Amino acid sequence: MRVVVQNDKSRARIPKVALRCAAAALASAALVSGCSATGSDSATGTAPGHGGPADSRARLAAEHARLVAAARHWNLDEVPLRPPAPPAAKPKITARAGFEVDGQEEENLPPVFTTVPTRQKVVFLTIDDGAEKDPAFLRMMSDLKIPYTAFLSNYLVKDDYGYFRRMQSEGHTLNNHTLTHPYLPGLSYEEQKDEICGMQAVMERQFGKAPTVFRPPYGNYNGDTLRAAKSCGIKYAPIWDEEVFVDHWEYREDDRNLHSGDIVLTHFRGRSDWDGTMVDDMRRFLNKVTREGYAVARLEDYL
């Protein structure tokens, strides 16, 4: 498959009038659609311990105003779209055609996939390895309430587990990306198992939970990789359909488009590796997905 690179260096600031209009439109849409915050009472439209519909409208309007201010603060073109509620019935995840290994179905091996089957206009943000630990990135994503999944390699995160604990405390999921980020197909089954199960042990010890989601480094794997991953408690092995960098996007598909359910990859990187910061990278990502009508949803809500 051909990988295509797109460059787009424009980063427009949000006009204040446009932001005010966006806030009003978002607040109106949320009220009309009946969207409710976590913990709300769907029968009455009120939240426990709060007043009636007028109070709910005021809180929604205040939250939208806060998001508009956050979008302006981080120099986004538009306010990011809010994702829909997670599906009540999870989609069936299978290996992408051509990405299976021998014994995939017979052994019930973790599927490798690049897109989640959904009709909802959402994409999923995943961030690999853990090299850069930018506090501004954490503030940005918290301010904008953008969900993401981190795939961590121990040799890069062990100098500051606390950074990722803060990430976890804000509702983001931490998953397995091996101990040392090797080329797994070049290792024996036992060596691969040590890399994956070893990281499972680190995740449980440092973050309180061994994940069920694993991404092979570089997106490279073989049958032994998936067998080892399964033996370590892994159920899913997502890779990606697009990758965003601070100055361009790359695509797996020839159409160079986002699609509903696509998994987008980026990395924990800063100025030592890129001509920009993680905030710049996220600005590029959010501007594109919002412009094209996509919301960013939490991957694990669909698994």
Side-chain angles (χ1 to χ4, degrees):
M1 287 178 282
R2 182 164 58 94
V3 173
V4 185
V5 178
Q6 177 191 27
N7 287 301
D8 172 13
K9 298 187 179 295
S10 61
R11 292 195 185 115
R13 292 177 176 268
I14 314 175
K16 292 183 179 180
V17 173
L19 280 166
R20 287 195 295 269
C21 292
L26 283 165
S28 174
L31 291 169
V32 170
S33 65
C35 294
S36 59
T38 301
S40 66
D41 184 337
S42 59
T44 63
T46 64
H50 291 79
D55 183 67
S56 295
R57 285 194 294 270
R59 287 185 291 106
L60 281 171
E63 174 61 8
H64 285 300
R66 190 197 66 76
L67 288 171
V68 168
R72 181 188 298 116
H73 173 77
W74 295 106
N75 294 324
L76 299 185
D77 293 344
E78 303 174 68
V79 178
L81 300 172
R82 298 296 92 196
K90 307 300 183 187
K92 182 179 180 180
I93 305 294
T94 58
R96 175 172 168 154
F99 287 58
E100 311 95 331
V101 298
D102 290 342
Q104 181 76 56
E105 294 186 7
E106 297 84 348
E107 299 177 52
N108 192 29
L109 298 177
V112 175
F113 56 103
T114 62
T115 300
V116 172
T118 179
R119 293 183 179 180
Q120 295 178 333
K121 200 165 184 183
V122 297
V123 295
F124 306 99
L125 174 62
T126 63
I127 312 178
D128 278 9
D129 64 44
E132 180 72 9
K133 302 166 185 70
D134 184 353
F137 162 78
L138 292 183
R139 292 194 300 272
M140 178 187 195
M141 303 305 267
S142 178
D143 286 353
L144 295 167
K145 291 192 173 180
I146 304 299
Y148 56 92
T149 295
F151 288 89
L152 305 181
S153 291
N154 192 54
Y155 84 109
L156 291 171
V157 304
K158 64 183 180 181
D159 63 330
D160 191 358
Y161 291 124
Y163 179 86
F164 300 96
R165 291 192 193 104
R166 178 179 169 188
M167 189 180 293
Q168 183 183 43
S169 74
E170 294 178 353
H172 306 292
T173 307
L174 309 181
N175 286 322
N176 189 325
H177 200 43
T178 72
L179 288 171
T180 66
H181 205 278
Y183 175 71
L184 289 173
L187 303 181
S188 70
Y189 170 81
E190 289 299 331
E191 289 169 330
Q192 294 195 54
K193 186 176 177 181
D194 287 345
E195 280 285 339
I196 301 168
C197 288
M199 191 59 190
Q200 290 288 84
V202 169
M203 299 292 285
E204 186 166 18
R205 184 168 61 251
Q206 295 297 333
F207 307 114
K209 182 179 180 181
T212 59
V213 183
F214 157 73
R215 172 171 286 162
Y218 316 107
N220 295 132
Y221 61 93
N222 59 16
D224 280 349
T225 308
L226 301 185
R227 291 182 186 93
K230 180 181 178 181
S231 76
C232 301
I234 297 298
K235 296 181 179 179
Y236 302 99
I239 50 175
W240 60 92
D241 213 47
E242 295 87 21
E243 182 170 3
V244 60
F245 296 82
V246 74
D247 57 354
H248 69 279
W249 281 71
E250 293 183 359
Y251 300 86
R252 190 178 295 276
E253 316 299 344
D254 286 342
D255 64 8
R256 299 187 303 168
N257 288 326
L258 289 170
H259 318 89
S260 291
D262 275 359
I263 299 168
V264 180
L265 165 67
T266 193
H267 288 80
F268 290 97
R269 293 288 185 271
R271 290 193 181 278
S272 60
D273 297 288
W274 285 346
D275 184 21
T277 65
M278 289 195 70
V279 169
D280 297 325
D281 185 44
M282 288 298 96
R283 186 180 298 114
R284 172 174 289 278
F285 167 75
L286 290 169
N287 281 342
K288 177 178 175 63
V289 299
T290 305
R291 181 172 64 247
E292 297 188 11
Y294 290 92
V296 183
R298 182 176 178 268
L299 177 62
E300 288 74 14
D301 286 341
Y302 289 71
L303 302 182

Coordinates of all heavy atoms in Angstrom, one line a residue, residues 78-132:
E78 N -11.2 25.9 15.3 CA -12.6 25.7 15.8 C -12.6 25.0 17.1 O -11.6 24.4 17.5 CB -13.4 24.9 14.7 CG -13.4 25.4 13.3 CD -14.1 24.4 12.4 OE1 -15.3 24.3 12.5 OE2 -13.4 23.9 11.5
V79 N -13.7 25.0 17.7 CA -13.9 24.2 18.9 C -14.0 22.7 18.5 O -14.9 22.4 17.7 CB -15.2 24.6 19.7 CG1 -15.4 23.8 20.9 CG2 -15.1 26.1 20.1
P80 N -13.3 21.8 19.1 CA -13.4 20.4 18.7 C -14.8 19.9 19.0 O -15.5 20.3 20.0 CB -12.4 19.7 19.6 CG -11.3 20.8 19.9 CD -12.1 22.1 20.0
L81 N -15.2 19.0 18.1 CA -16.6 18.4 18.3 C -16.6 17.4 19.4 O -15.6 16.7 19.7 CB -17.0 17.7 17.0 CG -17.0 18.6 15.7 CD1 -17.3 17.8 14.5 CD2 -18.1 19.6 15.9
R82 N -17.7 17.4 20.1 CA -17.9 16.4 21.2 C -18.3 15.0 20.7 O -19.1 14.9 19.8 CB -19.0 16.9 22.2 CG -18.8 18.2 22.9 CD -17.6 18.1 23.8 NE -16.3 18.6 23.1 CZ -15.1 18.3 23.6 NH1 -14.9 17.6 24.7 NH2 -14.1 18.7 22.9
P83 N -17.7 14.0 21.2 CA -18.0 12.6 20.7 C -19.4 12.2 21.2 O -19.9 12.6 22.2 CB -16.9 11.7 21.3 CG -16.5 12.5 22.6 CD -16.6 13.9 22.2
P84 N -20.0 11.3 20.4 CA -21.3 10.8 20.8 C -21.1 9.8 22.0 O -20.0 9.5 22.3 CB -21.8 10.0 19.6 CG -20.6 9.6 18.9 CD -19.6 10.8 19.1
A85 N -22.2 9.4 22.6 CA -22.1 8.4 23.7 C -21.5 7.1 23.2 O -21.8 6.8 22.0 CB -23.5 8.2 24.3
P86 N -20.7 6.4 23.9 CA -20.2 5.1 23.5 C -21.3 4.2 23.1 O -22.4 4.2 23.7 CB -19.4 4.6 24.7 CG -19.1 5.8 25.5 CD -20.3 6.7 25.3
P87 N -21.1 3.3 22.1 CA -22.1 2.4 21.7 C -22.5 1.4 22.8 O -21.6 0.9 23.5 CB -21.5 1.7 20.5 CG -20.0 1.8 20.7 CD -19.8 3.1 21.4
A88 N -23.8 1.2 23.0 CA -24.3 0.2 24.0 C -23.8 -1.2 23.6 O -23.4 -2.0 24.5 CB -25.8 0.3 24.1
A89 N -23.9 -1.5 22.3 CA -23.4 -2.8 21.8 C -22.0 -2.6 21.2 O -22.0 -1.8 20.2 CB -24.4 -3.4 20.9
K90 N -21.0 -3.1 21.7 CA -19.7 -2.9 21.1 C -19.5 -3.6 19.7 O -20.1 -4.7 19.5 CB -18.6 -3.5 22.0 CG -18.7 -3.0 23.5 CD -18.5 -1.5 23.6 CE -18.5 -1.1 25.1 NZ -18.6 0.3 25.3
P91 N -18.9 -2.9 18.8 CA -18.7 -3.5 17.5 C -17.8 -4.7 17.6 O -17.0 -4.9 18.5 CB -18.0 -2.4 16.7 CG -17.4 -1.5 17.7 CD -18.3 -1.6 18.9
K92 N -18.0 -5.7 16.7 CA -17.2 -6.9 16.6 C -15.8 -6.5 16.0 O -15.8 -6.0 14.8 CB -17.8 -8.0 15.8 CG -17.0 -9.3 15.8 CD -17.7 -10.4 15.0 CE -16.9 -11.6 15.0 NZ -17.6 -12.7 14.2
I93 N -14.7 -6.7 16.7 CA -13.4 -6.4 16.2 C -12.8 -7.6 15.6 O -12.6 -8.6 16.3 CB -12.5 -5.8 17.3 CG1 -13.2 -4.6 18.0 CG2 -11.2 -5.4 16.7 CD1 -13.4 -3.4 17.1
T94 N -12.4 -7.6 14.3 CA -11.7 -8.7 13.7 C -10.4 -8.2 13.1 O -10.2 -6.9 12.9 CB -12.6 -9.4 12.6 OG1 -12.9 -8.4 11.7 CG2 -13.8 -10.0 13.2
A95 N -9.5 -9.1 12.7 CA -8.3 -8.7 12.1 C -8.6 -8.0 10.7 O -9.5 -8.5 10.0 CB -7.4 -9.9 11.9
R96 N -7.9 -7.0 10.4 CA -8.1 -6.4 9.0 C -7.6 -7.4 8.0 O -6.7 -8.2 8.2 CB -7.2 -5.1 8.9 CG -7.2 -4.5 7.6 CD -6.5 -3.2 7.5 NE -6.3 -2.8 6.1 CZ -6.1 -1.5 5.7 NH1 -6.2 -0.5 6.6 NH2 -5.9 -1.2 4.5
A97 N -8.4 -7.4 6.9 CA -8.1 -8.4 5.8 C -6.6 -8.1 5.3 O -6.2 -7.0 5.1 CB -9.0 -8.2 4.6
G98 N -5.9 -9.2 5.3 CA -4.5 -9.2 4.9 C -3.5 -9.0 6.1 O -2.3 -9.0 5.9
F99 N -4.1 -8.7 7.3 CA -3.3 -8.5 8.5 C -3.4 -9.7 9.4 O -2.9 -9.7 10.5 CB -3.7 -7.2 9.2 CG -3.3 -6.0 8.5 CD1 -3.7 -5.7 7.2 CD2 -2.5 -5.0 9.1 CE1 -3.4 -4.5 6.5 CE2 -2.2 -3.8 8.5 CZ -2.6 -3.6 7.2
E100 N -4.0 -10.8 9.0 CA -4.1 -12.0 9.8 C -2.8 -12.8 9.8 O -1.9 -12.6 8.9 CB -5.2 -12.9 9.3 CG -6.6 -12.2 9.0 CD -6.7 -11.8 7.5 OE1 -5.7 -11.6 6.9 OE2 -7.9 -11.8 7.0
V101 N -2.7 -13.7 10.8 CA -1.6 -14.6 10.8 C -2.2 -16.0 10.7 O -3.4 -16.2 11.0 CB -0.7 -14.4 12.1 CG1 -0.1 -13.1 12.1 CG2 -1.5 -14.7 13.3
D102 N -1.3 -17.0 10.4 CA -1.8 -18.4 10.5 C -2.3 -18.7 11.8 O -1.7 -18.4 12.9 CB -0.7 -19.4 10.1 CG -0.3 -19.2 8.6 OD1 -1.1 -18.7 7.8 OD2 0.8 -19.7 8.3
G103 N -3.6 -19.3 11.9 CA -4.2 -19.7 13.2 C -4.9 -18.5 13.8 O -5.3 -18.6 15.0
Q104 N -5.1 -17.4 13.1 CA -5.8 -16.2 13.7 C -7.1 -16.6 14.3 O -7.3 -16.3 15.5 CB -6.0 -15.2 12.6 CG -6.6 -13.9 13.0 CD -5.7 -13.0 13.8 OE1 -4.6 -12.6 13.3 NE2 -6.0 -12.6 15.0
E105 N -8.0 -17.2 13.6 CA -9.3 -17.5 14.1 C -9.3 -18.8 14.9 O -10.0 -18.8 16.0 CB -10.3 -17.6 12.9 CG -10.6 -16.3 12.2 CD -11.7 -16.4 11.2 OE1 -12.3 -17.5 11.1 OE2 -11.9 -15.5 10.4
E106 N -8.6 -19.8 14.5 CA -8.6 -21.1 15.2 C -8.1 -20.9 16.6 O -8.6 -21.5 17.6 CB -7.8 -22.1 14.5 CG -8.3 -22.5 13.1 CD -7.8 -21.5 12.0 OE1 -7.3 -20.4 12.3 OE2 -8.0 -21.8 10.8
E107 N -7.1 -20.1 16.8 CA -6.5 -19.9 18.1 C -7.0 -18.6 18.9 O -6.6 -18.3 20.0 CB -4.9 -19.7 18.0 CG -4.3 -21.0 17.4 CD -2.8 -20.8 17.2 OE1 -2.1 -20.4 18.2 OE2 -2.3 -21.0 16.0
N108 N -8.0 -18.0 18.2 CA -8.6 -16.8 18.8 C -7.5 -15.8 19.2 O -7.4 -15.3 20.4 CB -9.4 -17.1 20.0 CG -10.3 -16.0 20.5 OD1 -10.7 -15.1 19.7 ND2 -10.6 -15.9 21.7
L109 N -6.6 -15.5 18.3 CA -5.5 -14.5 18.5 C -6.0 -13.1 18.5 O -6.9 -12.8 17.9 CB -4.4 -14.7 17.5 CG -3.7 -16.1 17.5 CD1 -2.7 -16.2 16.4 CD2 -3.1 -16.5 18.8
P110 N -5.3 -12.2 19.3 CA -5.7 -10.8 19.3 C -5.7 -10.3 17.8 O -4.7 -10.4 17.1 CB -4.6 -10.1 20.1 CG -4.1 -11.2 21.0 CD -4.1 -12.5 20.2
P111 N -6.7 -9.6 17.4 CA -6.8 -9.1 16.0 C -5.9 -7.8 15.9 O -5.9 -7.0 16.8 CB -8.3 -8.7 15.8 CG -8.8 -8.5 17.2 CD -8.0 -9.4 18.1
V112 N -5.3 -7.7 14.7 CA -4.6 -6.5 14.4 C -5.5 -5.7 13.4 O -6.0 -6.2 12.4 CB -3.3 -6.8 13.6 CG1 -2.6 -5.5 13.1 CG2 -2.3 -7.5 14.6
F113 N -5.8 -4.5 13.8 CA -6.8 -3.7 13.0 C -6.4 -2.2 13.0 O -5.6 -1.8 13.8 CB -8.2 -3.8 13.6 CG -8.3 -3.5 15.0 CD1 -8.9 -2.3 15.4 CD2 -7.9 -4.4 16.0 CE1 -9.0 -1.9 16.8 CE2 -8.0 -4.0 17.4 CZ -8.6 -2.8 17.8
T114 N -6.9 -1.5 12.0 CA -6.5 -0.1 11.8 C -7.7 0.8 11.9 O -7.5 2.0 12.0 CB -5.9 0.1 10.4 OG1 -6.8 -0.2 9.4 CG2 -4.6 -0.8 10.2
T115 N -8.9 0.2 11.9 CA -10.1 1.0 12.0 C -11.2 0.2 12.8 O -11.2 -1.0 12.6 CB -10.7 1.3 10.5 OG1 -9.7 2.0 9.8 CG2 -12.0 2.0 10.6
V116 N -11.9 0.9 13.6 CA -13.0 0.3 14.3 C -14.3 0.4 13.5 O -14.6 1.5 13.0 CB -13.2 1.0 15.7 CG1 -14.5 0.5 16.4 CG2 -12.0 0.8 16.6
P117 N -15.0 -0.7 13.3 CA -16.3 -0.7 12.5 C -17.3 0.2 13.3 O -17.8 -0.3 14.3 CB -16.7 -2.1 12.4 CG -16.0 -2.9 13.5 CD -14.7 -2.1 13.8
T118 N -17.6 1.3 12.8 CA -18.7 2.2 13.4 C -19.2 3.1 12.3 O -18.5 3.5 11.4 CB -18.1 3.0 14.6 OG1 -19.1 3.8 15.1 CG2 -16.9 3.9 14.2
R119 N -20.5 3.5 12.5 CA -21.0 4.5 11.6 C -20.9 5.9 12.2 O -21.2 6.9 11.5 CB -22.5 4.2 11.3 CG -22.7 2.9 10.5 CD -24.2 2.7 10.1 NE -24.3 1.5 9.3 CZ -25.5 1.0 8.9 NH1 -26.6 1.7 9.2 NH2 -25.6 -0.1 8.2
Q120 N -20.6 5.9 13.5 CA -20.4 7.2 14.1 C -19.2 8.0 13.5 O -18.2 7.3 13.2 CB -20.2 7.0 15.6 CG -21.4 6.5 16.3 CD -21.2 6.3 17.8 OE1 -20.1 6.1 18.2 NE2 -22.3 6.3 18.6
K121 N -19.3 9.3 13.3 CA -18.2 10.0 12.7 C -17.2 10.4 13.8 O -17.1 11.5 14.3 CB -18.8 11.2 12.0 CG -17.8 11.8 10.9 CD -18.4 12.7 10.0 CE -17.3 13.1 8.9 NZ -17.9 14.1 7.9
V122 N -16.4 9.4 14.1 CA -15.4 9.5 15.2 C -14.1 8.9 14.7 O -14.0 8.1 13.8 CB -15.8 8.8 16.5 CG1 -17.0 9.4 17.1 CG2 -16.0 7.3 16.3
V123 N -13.0 9.5 15.2 CA -11.7 8.9 15.1 C -11.1 8.7 16.5 O -11.6 9.2 17.4 CB -10.7 9.7 14.2 CG1 -11.3 9.8 12.7 CG2 -10.6 11.1 14.8
F124 N -10.0 7.9 16.5 CA -9.4 7.6 17.8 C -7.9 8.0 17.8 O -7.2 7.7 16.9 CB -9.5 6.1 18.1 CG -10.9 5.6 18.0 CD1 -11.3 4.9 16.8 CD2 -11.8 5.7 19.0 CE1 -12.6 4.5 16.8 CE2 -13.1 5.3 19.0 CZ -13.5 4.7 17.8
L125 N -7.5 8.8 18.8 CA -6.2 9.3 18.9 C -5.3 8.4 19.8 O -5.7 8.1 20.9 CB -6.2 10.7 19.5 CG -4.8 11.3 19.8 CD1 -4.0 11.5 18.5 CD2 -5.0 12.7 20.5
T126 N -4.2 7.9 19.2 CA -3.3 7.0 20.0 C -1.9 7.6 19.9 O -1.5 8.1 18.9 CB -3.3 5.6 19.5 OG1 -2.8 5.6 18.1 CG2 -4.7 5.0 19.5
I127 N -1.2 7.5 21.1 CA 0.1 8.2 21.1 C 1.1 7.2 21.7 O 0.9 6.6 22.7 CB 0.1 9.4 22.1 CG1 -1.1 10.3 21.7 CG2 1.4 10.2 22.0 CD1 -1.3 11.5 22.6
D128 N 2.2 7.0 21.0 CA 3.2 5.9 21.3 C 4.4 6.4 22.0 O 5.0 7.5 21.8 CB 3.6 5.3 20.0 CG 2.6 4.2 19.5 OD1 1.5 4.2 20.1 OD2 2.9 3.5 18.5
D129 N 4.9 5.5 22.8 CA 6.3 5.3 23.4 C 6.5 6.0 24.7 O 6.8 5.4 25.7 CB 7.4 5.5 22.4 CG 7.6 6.9 21.8 OD1 7.5 7.9 22.6 OD2 7.9 7.0 20.6
G130 N 6.3 7.4 24.8 CA 6.5 8.1 26.0 C 7.8 8.9 26.2 O 8.1 9.3 27.3
A131 N 8.5 9.1 25.1 CA 9.8 9.8 25.2 C 9.6 11.3 25.7 O 10.3 11.7 26.6 CB 10.4 9.8 23.8
E132 N 8.7 12.0 25.1 CA 8.5 13.4 25.5 C 7.4 13.5 26.6 O 6.4 12.9 26.5 CB 8.1 14.3 24.3 CG 7.8 15.7 24.6 CD 9.1 16.5 24.8 OE1 10.2 15.9 24.6 OE2 9.0 17.7 25.2

